[in-house]
Amino acid sequence: MSSTRIIFGFHAVAGRLRQNPTSIQEVCIDKTRNDMRMQDLLQLAEQKGVRVMQMERERLDGLSAHGRHQGVLARVEDAPLPYQDIHDILESDLDEPPLLLVLDGVEDPHNLGACLRVADAMGVHAVIAPKDRAAGLNATVRKVACGAAESVPFIAVTNLARTLRELKEAGVWLVGAAAEAEGDLFTTKLTGPIALVMGAEGTGLRRLTSETCDALVRIPMFGTVESLNVSVASGMCLYEARRQRSTA
């Protein structure tokens, strides 16, 4: 059964128009905005056959709960996801060993959106996160993700530790990122079925998550800072995995 919600911002709306235009009920725009960026969006909506409504900016503010909508939002229907759990991903027709990103309790929606964006850029097959005490796919996440929330499967699980064990049973190697780890990201093999496991902001990996991983690695640091934002760390780890796969 589908539900209706609001997404906002140019990237989020344009991404939905390209990926799934039939799910859009209507696009709503600021009636006073007529710049080139808006014209490009209107042209895309016309190409996809999506209705556009002009509104006062104050009404857009109310519909987006005063989020930074940039003068554009869309009412969309969310149908049931084609991927219900991680087994749907693993059993699908992938053209390479699975590359997964696991987020252990990332609570900031901006960080989650950025993680989805780098996951899309690096060809990740799915992003996995716990349902509780973690950010979900809200409008802010979708806006920051710049369309990646529409292209990368996001699977929220009830029990992350159990999901990690199921991944191991399916032959996926779990590599956790931890500042105190002895292993080095650049000398760890990441070419097979891999799930890169990233910890939450500030606290890192939870104890049970860390113990479930097959290996722990640290990102070599050459400056004075001691830690990285989770989305930056995710991007570095995923890039190294993709680099190794391209040269294997």
Side-chain angles (χ1 to χ4, degrees), residues 29-34 53-57 60 71:
I29 67 168
D30 182 348
K31 63 188 300 184
T32 66
R33 183 163 181 175
N34 193 36
M53 299 285 290
Q54 293 188 338
M55 293 183 176
E56 299 289 345
R57 188 173 186 87
L60 293 174

Side-chain angles (χ1 to χ4, degrees), residues 53-241:
M53 299 285 290
Q54 293 188 338
M55 293 183 176
E56 299 289 345
R57 188 173 186 87
E58 291 75 14
R59 190 177 178 192
L60 293 174
D61 289 342
L63 288 172
S64 66
H66 295 276
R68 297 181 61 184
H69 52 72
Q70 301 173 300
V72 58
L73 57 80
R75 302 180 196 269
V76 301
E77 292 183 355
D78 275 344
L81 293 172
Y83 299 110
Q84 298 300 317
D85 60 36
I86 191 58
H87 297 290
D88 293 333
I89 300 290
L90 297 177
E91 294 168 9
S92 62
D93 188 19
L94 302 178
D95 57 4
E96 65 174 342
L99 177 59
L100 308 171
L101 177 63
V102 179
L103 302 175
D104 183 19
V106 172
E107 297 182 345
D108 187 327
H110 293 86
N111 282 340
L112 176 56
C115 286
L116 286 167
R117 192 172 180 181
V118 297
D120 175 84
M122 292 298 105
V124 168
H125 300 111
V127 174
I128 304 166
K131 289 182 179 178
D132 298 326
R133 300 191 193 122
L137 286 185
N138 60 27
T140 299
V141 171
R142 293 176 185 275
K143 180 176 182 294
V144 175
C146 297
E150 318 302 327
S151 60
V152 179
F154 179 78
I155 300 176
V157 299
T158 303
N159 188 316
L160 184 61
R162 182 171 63 216
T163 299
L164 293 177
R165 290 194 295 270
E166 291 175 353
L167 288 172
K168 294 177 73 169
E169 291 170 0
V172 177
W173 188 254
L174 306 182
V175 179
E180 70 278 7
E182 294 183 7
D184 184 312
L185 173 67
F186 301 145
T187 57
T188 300
K189 183 179 179 181
L190 302 173
T191 54
I194 290 290
L196 289 165
V197 188
M198 314 301 296
E201 305 94 338
T203 58
L205 297 175
R206 288 179 293 179
R207 181 185 58 80
L208 183 56
T209 303
S210 178
E211 292 175 352
T212 307
C213 288
D214 295 298
L216 296 176
V217 300
R218 57 179 173 79
I219 299 173
M221 307 283 279
F222 302 98
T224 58
V225 298
E226 296 181 354
S227 63
L228 296 170
N229 176 279
V230 63
S231 64
V232 174
S234 295
M236 294 180 70
C237 292
L238 290 171
Y239 187 87
E240 175 61 16

